[in-house]
Structure formats: C-alpha cells, structure tokens
Amino acid sequence: VAEVEEAQKAMINRVRTEAKSISKKYICTPNTTDFAVMFLPTEGLYSEVLRTPGLAESLQRDYRVVVAGPTTVAALLNSLQMGFRTVAIEKRSTEIGKLLEQFRKDFVQFSDLLGQTKKKLESVQTTIDNAEKRTQIIGKRLQSVSAITGEKTSLLETASTLVDIDSDDSGN
C-alpha cells in the first residue's frame, strides 16, 4: 500500500512538472492561446489524473494546462476549432461593421454633395430661363425695329410699341 501511495505521489509530481514545462514552453500570449493541452497517451494514466482530487483543476488554474486523454482529445480539439472559427467570424463581422459605418458616412457626404449640385443646377436653369425670356424680349424689340424701317410707321407708334414691350418686362 505504501508503494502504491509513493508511486501515486511520484506520478502527481511528474504530471505537475510536465504541466509547468508545457506552460513555460508553449503559452506566450498574445502570440499563442492563453492555455495549453497536455495529452496523456493512455486511458489508465488519464483516469488516474482525473481520479486524483483537485489535480486537473490545479493544472488548469496554476499552469493553464488542460488534460486530455485518447478518448477526449478529438472532442477537445473539435471544440477548440469551433471556438477559433467563432472568434474569426466575430473579428470579420467587426471589420464588416466598420466598413459599413464608413460607407454610411461616405453616402451621407455623397447625398449632401448631390443636394448642393441640385441647387446649383436649379440656379443655372433659372438663369437660362431668364436669358430665354430676355432673348424673346430682344426679339420682339428687333421686330419692332424692323417694323419701323419696313413699314415706315410713325415715330409715335414705334414709341407706343416700345412702351408696351417694357411694361411686359416689368411683370417678370
């Protein structure tokens, strides 16, 4: 019985020593994860570590080392892989969120520029409309001048026509 207890203490000390060694060698945050995995190659050794009260918890707490055996290592690795994928997806979604926020800001600026352009185009349209009206008035006056020279109307009638045209201008 004493030999069994002695062998058990030696096994516990060896497992602790290996956990400490693994922790020092492989845990280097932020370059690595903040934990490591100790693979115990036989089910007997794995069950002895789990059967020892507080040993697995102590390894996790003190050295950040998780114990895995032949039947649990695949499940542990699969769950870790899923966790890393989730972290990667979250990181990507954060990047996408930032891109969408920048796009929203750019779109607001574009909308403002579009509104300014619309106002300027409306101003240009108004100027063109006024120039068109001026052209019509000038055309009427030129017709009046041609009427004066072509029909030899009296100066009084010409003056009356010009006054009528000017009164049309004042309404605009």
Side-chain angles (χ1 to χ4, degrees):
V1 173
E3 293 172 347
V4 172
E5 287 178 9
E6 192 173 311
Q8 193 173 23
K9 285 181 184 179
M11 185 260 323
I12 291 171
N13 286 336
R14 180 62 189 259
V15 168
R16 284 188 192 277
T17 302
E18 291 301 319
K20 185 176 182 179
S21 173
I22 289 169
S23 179
K24 285 182 179 178
K25 282 183 185 178
Y26 299 109
I27 299 176
C28 183
T29 55
N31 299 323
T32 66
T33 60
D34 64 343
F35 66 95
V37 176
M38 176 190 288
F39 176 66
L40 302 175
T42 65
E43 283 300 318
L45 180 58
Y46 177 65
S47 66
E48 279 298 315
V49 169
L50 290 182
R51 192 175 68 89
T52 305
L55 180 59
E57 295 82 6
S58 171
L59 298 177
Q60 285 180 321
R61 182 183 59 250
D62 298 340
Y63 305 112
R64 308 285 298 156
V65 172
V66 177
V67 180
T71 57
T72 60
V73 72
L76 176 65
L77 293 177
N78 281 335
S79 67
L80 289 174
Q81 183 180 28
M82 294 300 263
F84 290 139
R85 283 184 183 163
T86 301
V87 168
I89 290 170
E90 287 176 7
K91 183 178 177 184
R92 287 298 229 178
S93 66
T94 301
E95 291 173 9
I96 290 170
K98 288 177 182 177
L99 284 173
L100 286 173
E101 179 61 23
Q102 185 60 44
F103 178 75
R104 187 194 63 78
K105 288 177 183 177
D106 289 344
F107 188 76
V108 167
Q109 287 179 338
F110 176 74
S111 180
D112 291 344
L113 288 173
L114 201 56
Q116 291 172 5
T117 303
K118 180 181 177 185
K119 286 179 183 176
K120 287 181 181 181
L121 285 174
E122 288 171 351
S123 174
V124 168
Q125 183 64 43
T126 301
T127 303
I128 290 172
D129 289 345
N130 290 341
E132 192 175 64
K133 289 176 185 175
R134 248 322 113 201
T135 302
Q136 290 172 354
I137 291 168
I138 292 170
K140 288 179 182 177
R141 287 185 180 163
L142 285 175
Q143 285 177 353
S144 297
V145 170
S146 6
I148 292 172
T149 57
E151 298 177 3
K152 300 194 188 248
T153 57
S154 70
L155 288 173
L156 191 57
E157 290 174 357
T158 303
S160 172
T161 305
L162 289 176
V163 169
D164 289 342
I165 291 172
D166 280 339
S167 66
D168 285 347
D169 282 351
S170 63
N172 295 330

